Amino acid sequence: MRPGILLDVRNLTKHFPVRAGPFQRPSGKVQAVTGVSFHLSEGESLSLVGESGCGKTTLARTLLRGYEATAGSAWFRTGEGEVVDLLTLSRRRLKPLRRQMQMVFQDPYSSLNPRMTVQQIIGEPLRIHGEELGIATREARRERVRELLLQVGLRPEAARCYPHAFSGGERQRIGIARTLAARPRLVVADEPVSALDVSVQAQILNLLLELQQRHRIGTLLLTHNLMVVRHVSDRVAVMYLGRIMETAPAETLFTSPGHPYTAALLDAIPRPDPRVRNRSRIKLSGEVPSPRNPPSGCPFHPRCVHARDRCRTELPELEHIVPGRQVRCHLWRELDLKGAATD
Amino acid sequence: MNREPEEFGVRLETASAWQLTWQRFRRHKLAVVSLILLGFLYLVVLLADFLATADPNRIDASRAYRPPQPIHLLDDGGFNPHVHPVSGEWDHRIFRRVHRTDPDRRLPVRLLVRGYEYEFLGLFPTSLHLMGVEGEAQALSLLGTDGLGRDLYSRLVHGTRTSLTIGLAGVVLSLVLGVVLGGISGFYGGRVDTLIQRVIEILLSIPTIPLWLGLAAAMPRDWGVLRVYFILTVILSLIGWTRLGREVRGRFLVLRQEDYVLAAELMGAGRASIIRRHLVPAITSHVIATATLALPAMIIAETSLSFLGLGLRPPAISWGILLQGAQQVQVLALRPWLLAPAVPVVAAILAFNFVGDGLRDAADPYSRRT
Ligand SMILES: Nc1ncnc2c1ncn2[C@@H]1O[C@H](COP(=O)(O)OP(=O)(O)O)[C@@H](O)[C@H]1O
Ligand SMILES: [Mg+2]
C-alpha cells in the first residue's frame, strides 16, 4: 500500500442470502454491494453518493465488520503503522482496532441509548478504550466529555441530560462527540444529515468537515444528496445498485460528469433559479431495480436515455479516463454530458 | 436543550443510576408508604415467633371464641399495662359460650417476657417474646381466639410468615428462567432460539390445574403439607416462566436492531457489556412490573387454593387457612374478629402493586415519556 493511504478497499462484495419457505432454504441473494474498490488517504474526505437502496449502509457496515463480507479486502493502516485487512482480521485482533474506526449514524434517535445520560453515551468509548486513550479515572472521563461537548458546540451541562432533551441536530452533535471520543483515524458517516431539518444540515456538515480537518481524520461520507458533498469532499464516488459508476474530484464531477447516471443526478438537484428550469432535463425516470435480480449488462441501462444494445448485455469496466477519474460506461467517449449550472 | 434534569440540581452530576432511581422513587409517596408496610410485613416474617404472644398451635377448648381483649394502660393513675382475666363457660339458655371478665384481678402485660420455646431465626433456642403475660401466655388474646381456643394474633403472625414466603422461590425461579432463557433466545437467535421457542410452546400446552392436582397426589405421603406446597410452586414455576421468556425475547430482538447497540458493537464493546449496559436496562421496568404482579398473584393463589382446601391444609398456618376457619355465616354476626386475616391480605396485595408502580416509573423514566 502506498504511503499516506489510510484505507484501500478492493473488490468489496456483500450479498445477503434470501431464505424463503417453511424450511428457510436459500432461494437467491440480494446483491447489495458488488466489487467496490476505492482508496482513502489519511485525513482525506471521500464521498460516496447514491440513491436510497444502492448499498451505502451495507457498505459501511461491512467495512466496519458489522456484517461479514462475501468477498474482497479492505487494507487499513493502523496508528502503529501496520497494514491489516479489516475484512479477514480475527475478531480478537480486530477489537483493539475498533477504536481507530468509528461510525456516525443516520438516525440520531435510534443511535443514542435513551436510557443513558449524555455523559454515559460519550463516555462509553472512553471506558472501553480507556487504557489506549490514557483516560483511567471517572474524573478524567468527565473532563474529556466536557471537552468533547464544547468541541461539537454543546454546553458542558448537557452531559447530565438524557437524549430526549435534545433536538435532532443536537443529538447528531452528541453522536459526533461519541465518535471523536475514541480519537479515530477513520470515520464512516452514513447519511449523517439526511434525517435532519434542512436548516441544521449545513451546520452539522460544517462541524464534521472542521473536525475532520482539525484532527486529520480520514472520512468516508455516504449520502444520497449530491448537494451535501459539493463543499465537503475532496473526491466523490457515485454508486448505483451496489457498484461504483464513477469517481472524480468533486469539482470535476459537478462541472463535467462522466456517466449518464451522474448527469441525471445532477440534473435532479432542485434549483432556486426558475430560469434554468427550462433546460432540457435528463429524466431520471422509473424505480431503482431490485438488487435481488439486477439487470443484465450495465445496471443503469433500463433508466439510461443513451442506452444501446451493448449496454444491455455487457457490463462496462470501471475505466481510468484521466488520473484520479474513473467511469463505468461504454459510451463515455461519445457523450457530452451537462454538469450542474456553475453558480 | 437541558429542559428536564435541572430539577435535581448539582447532586445529579455525581449520582449513580441507583441513586437516581431512588430519588425518583421517593417522589411517589404512596409507593414509599407501601414499601414501608412491606418492610414491616417481612419483619414480621423474620420475627414471627418473637412477636407471637402464645403458641399458635396450643389448643384450649375452655378459651374458644374469645373476643379481642383490650389492654388497659393505666392503673390507679400510673402507667401499668394490664389485662383482666377472662373465663368462658357454656350458657345453656342461649346455646353460646359467654365470656366473663373479672375486673378485680389484674394480669400485668410486660415487654420481653418468657413464653413458649422456639428457635430464633433458626439459630438458637430461646423463649423470649416481645410481650405477654408472664407465666400465663394464654391469658392474653389481642385479636381473640378461634374455635379451638388458639390465639388468633399469634396465628396471624405465623400465617404471615407462611403466606409471604412459601411462593417466593417459585416466583424468583420463574423470573430468572424467563429473563435468562428469553434473553438467550433473543440475543443469539438461530438454532438456540428455535429450540427455546419449541420448548415454550410445549410447556404452554400443559394445563396447570390438573397438573397441580396430579402432582399433589403423587407427592410422598410422609412429606408435610408445607413441603408439598413448596415443591409444587417450584415445579409450576418451571412452566410459569414462558410468558416472561417470550416477552424478553421479543424485546431483545427489537433492541438488537437499534443503532445504539450496533454502535456499541462497532465501538468494540464486549457481549457482556452490551447485554449489561444496553439490553438489560431496557427490560428492567418490564421485569419489575412482572414481578410485582407475580408476587400478589402468589399470595392470592395460596390464599384461594387453601381457602378451597386445595392448597395448604391444617395444621399448617397461613392466611388462606385462617380465612378458611372463618367460612361459616355465624362468623360475621357473632365472631367478626376471625375475619382479621383478610386485612393483611388486602394490604399486602395493594402494597405490592403500589411499590411496583413506583419502581417501574423510577427505574425507567423514559418509558413514561414516550
Ligand atoms: N440485512 C439485510 N438482508 C437482506 N437484504 C438487505 C439487508 N440489508 C440491506 N439489504 C438490501 O440491500 C440493499 C441495499 O441496502 P442499503 O445498504 O440499506 O442501501 P442504502 O443505505 O444505500 O439505502 C437494499 O435492497 C436492501 O433491501
Ligand atoms: Mg442507508
Side-chain angles (χ1 to χ4, degrees):
Chain A
M1 203 159 76
R2 276 185 286 127
I5 300 281
L6 175 66
L7 180 71
D8 190 358
V9 177
R10 289 182 202 159
N11 194 30
L12 189 148
T13 302
K14 176 64 190 174
H15 293 172
F16 295 103
V18 179
R19 294 174 189 280
F23 301 104
Q24 297 288 294
R25 262 207 296 259
S27 70
K29 56 189 182 184
V30 178
Q31 306 183 13
V33 175
T34 310
V36 165
S37 304
F38 62 87
H39 65 88
L40 183 68
S41 304
E42 303 207 23
E44 186 198 21
S45 149
L46 170 68
S47 287
L48 255 153
V49 183
E51 285 169 287
S52 203
C54 73
K56 301 183 295 291
T57 301
T58 307
L59 175 66
R61 293 188 178 185
T62 311
L63 203 53
L64 299 183
R65 284 286 282 279
Y67 296 141
E68 293 300 325
T70 309
S73 55
W75 298 98
F76 177 70
R77 190 186 305 277
T78 70
E80 296 74 40
E82 225 184 321
V83 175
V84 294
D85 180 9
L86 295 178
L87 303 186
T88 54
L89 207 60
S90 73
R91 292 255 154 199
R92 196 174 48 79
R93 288 195 54 207
L94 180 71
K95 206 162 168 177
L97 281 184
R98 292 263 194 216
R99 178 188 72 74
Q100 303 185 15
M101 31 189 212
Q102 295 285 311
M103 182 142 162
V104 176
F105 289 84
Q106 172 172 12
D107 181 353
Y109 290 85
S110 162
S111 59
L112 306 180
N113 187 337
R115 290 173 185 82
M116 285 163 70
T117 61
V118 170
Q119 169 71 41
Q120 290 170 318
I121 290 171
I122 303 179
E124 194 171 13
L126 300 177
R127 234 191 28 252
I128 297 171
H129 303 288
E131 213 169 302
E132 282 168 87
L133 295 167
I135 291 174
T137 64
R138 217 178 167 173
E139 252 339 289
R141 270 211 298 275
R142 195 165 290 140
E143 188 45 43
R144 175 82 173 120
V145 168
R146 194 188 144 78
E147 211 177 281
L148 286 162
L149 282 170
L150 287 169
Q151 271 193 39
V152 298
L154 291 173
R155 293 198 291 143
E157 295 84 56
R160 290 186 253 146
C161 306
Y162 288 89
H164 69 80
F166 300 91
S167 68
E170 288 166 336
R171 281 165 178 253
Q172 203 59 310
R173 286 173 194 267
I174 296 169
I176 292 171
R178 172 175 63 186
T179 307
L180 283 183
R183 296 189 190 280
R185 294 162 51 71
L186 168 68
V187 164
V188 180
D190 183 14
E191 308 241 25
V193 298
S194 66
L196 305 178
D197 288 348
V198 181
S199 54
V200 295
Q201 289 191 349
Q203 295 170 18
I204 298 294
L205 277 175
N206 285 338
L207 175 69
L208 269 175
L209 187 65
E210 182 204 320
L211 295 170
Q212 176 239 332
Q213 286 170 353
R214 171 139 43 116
H215 301 290
R216 277 186 54 77
I217 301 170
T219 305
L220 185 59
L221 178 73
L222 308 174
T223 175
H224 69 267
N225 185 346
L226 262 177
M227 281 319 276
V228 159
V229 308
R230 184 160 196 175
H231 307 289
V232 174
S233 285
D234 314 325
R235 284 186 304 132
V236 180
V238 178
M239 254 181 107
Y240 187 76
L241 220 59
R243 290 177 196 274
I244 289 186
M245 306 307 270
E246 174 170 10
T247 49
E251 266 319 302
T252 321
L253 188 95
F254 277 87
T255 49
S256 61
H259 196 283
Y261 177 58
T262 315
L265 279 182
L266 286 172
D267 201 65
I269 295 173
R271 259 172 230 92
D273 185 349
R275 279 168 304 169
V276 284
R277 279 254 178 89
N278 300 336
R279 285 183 345 147
S280 68
R281 294 192 57 165
I282 308 162
K283 289 273 177 343
L284 193 53
S285 60
E287 292 288 306
V288 185
S290 160
R292 258 197 84 168
N293 47 57
S296 61
C298 172
F300 186 57
H301 86 254
R303 298 168 80 193
C304 182
V305 288
H306 309 285
R308 316 262 164 89
D309 284 344
R310 189 178 172 207
C311 302
R312 284 180 253 279
T313 53
E314 194 185 324
L315 174 71
E317 291 294 314
L318 191 59
E319 283 179 74
H320 279 271
I321 55 175
V322 286
R325 185 108 208 255
Q326 294 164 292
V327 173
R328 186 192 292 279
C329 181
H330 294 306
L331 311 170
W332 66 270
R333 261 176 261 270
E334 308 157 38
L335 298 176
D336 177 27
L337 300 165
K338 281 206 191 73
T342 38
D343 41 12
Chain B
M1 178 176 119
N2 299 349
R3 282 184 290 264
E4 173 83 12
E6 300 303 339
E7 64 198 66
F8 294 119
V10 201
R11 277 155 66 214
L12 196 134
E13 209 162 356
T14 51
S16 72
W18 285 109
Q19 286 168 319
L20 287 179
T21 306
W22 177 239
Q23 279 174 19
R24 284 188 295 257
F25 182 79
R26 276 205 326 225
R27 283 186 287 170
H28 201 315
K29 290 286 175 280
L30 201 53
V32 174
V33 172
S34 300
L35 187 67
I36 293 170
L37 177 70
L38 287 180
F40 172 75
L41 283 175
Y42 275 95
L43 199 67
V44 170
V45 166
L46 280 180
L47 303 176
D49 280 304
F50 176 69
L51 293 173
T53 54
D55 184 342
N57 291 315
R58 180 160 158 191
I59 294 172
D60 184 348
S62 72
R63 295 172 199 262
Y65 295 133
R66 270 204 212 172
Q69 187 181 30
I71 298 183
H72 302 274
L73 290 178
L74 298 178
D75 181 22
D76 301 332
F79 181 73
N80 182 19
H82 62 275
V83 291
H84 300 298
V86 178
S87 59
E89 58 195 47
W90 190 256
D91 186 327
H92 292 282
R93 286 168 302 159
I94 56 172
F95 288 100
R96 267 164 62 185
R97 179 173 290 280
V98 290
H99 300 277
R100 266 185 253 295
T101 310
D102 180 354
D104 297 330
R105 280 185 58 212
R106 287 170 190 155
L107 298 170
V109 176
R110 297 271 144 76
L111 287 179
L112 300 178
V113 296
R114 297 280 153 192
Y116 69 93
E117 281 260 334
Y118 64 94
E119 296 244 317
F120 185 76
L121 300 180
L123 296 176
F124 53 88
T126 175
S127 61
L128 202 64
H129 294 265
L130 177 64
M131 61 174 182
V133 176
E134 192 90 54
E136 203 181 342
Q138 301 297 118
L140 182 67
S141 51
L142 290 172
L143 288 179
T145 61
D146 67 4
L148 295 174
R150 295 173 296 196
D151 179 43
L152 189 61
Y153 164 73
S154 303
R155 288 178 68 71
L156 189 53
V157 166
H158 277 87
T160 302
R161 172 151 79 184
T162 313
S163 292
L164 286 183
T165 53
I166 196 150
L168 275 186
V171 169
V172 171
L173 189 62
S174 65
L175 286 180
V176 170
L177 284 174
V179 171
V180 172
L181 291 176
I184 289 175
S185 197
F187 188 78
Y188 290 101
R191 292 221 177 120
V192 192
D193 180 37
T194 314
L195 181 72
I196 293 177
Q197 290 316 301
R198 293 300 89 77
V199 169
I200 287 181
E201 278 153 24
I202 292 167
L203 289 178
L204 277 177
S205 65
I206 299 175
T208 45
I209 296 216
L211 180 70
W212 174 277
L213 296 176
L215 281 173
M219 291 288 162
R221 286 272 152 244
D222 54 340
W223 282 11
V225 258
L226 283 180
R227 187 160 166 199
V228 169
Y229 189 90
F230 177 78
I231 297 293
L232 286 183
T233 59
V234 170
I235 293 178
L236 285 199
S237 75
L238 299 181
I239 297 178
W241 61 272
T242 49
R243 246 187 72 140
L244 180 64
R246 282 196 156 174
E247 287 159 357
V248 170
R249 168 182 180 262
R251 291 289 293 140
F252 271 33
L253 283 178
V254 173
L255 288 167
R256 289 281 289 153
Q257 303 298 316
E258 295 280 359
D259 279 351
Y260 63 78
V261 175
L262 180 68
E265 233 170 82
L266 295 186
M267 214 179 275
R271 267 187 185 155
S273 155
I274 289 176
I275 293 178
R276 200 176 61 243
R277 291 182 183 275
H278 294 284
L279 302 186
V280 169
I283 60 161
T284 33
S285 70
H286 186 80
V287 172
I288 288 171
T290 309
T292 51
L293 288 178
L295 288 169
M298 142 200 121
I299 296 169
I300 297 265
E302 183 278 313
T303 312
S304 42
L305 282 173
S306 303
F307 185 80
L308 295 172
L310 295 174
L312 294 169
R313 270 165 288 124
I317 308 172
S318 76
W319 289 346
I321 288 175
L322 293 175
L323 286 173
Q324 191 190 24
Q327 264 175 355
Q328 306 93 339
V329 200
Q330 300 100 297
V331 166
L332 269 184
L334 305 175
R335 305 187 272 271
W337 63 88
L338 289 181
L339 290 171
V343 175
V345 176
V346 174
I349 287 166
L350 285 179
F352 271 121
N353 279 310
F354 290 139
V355 170
D357 274 356
L359 276 180
R360 192 174 45 219
D361 292 350
D364 193 358
Y366 177 74
S367 67
R368 240 183 337 171
R369 294 200 184 93
T370 43

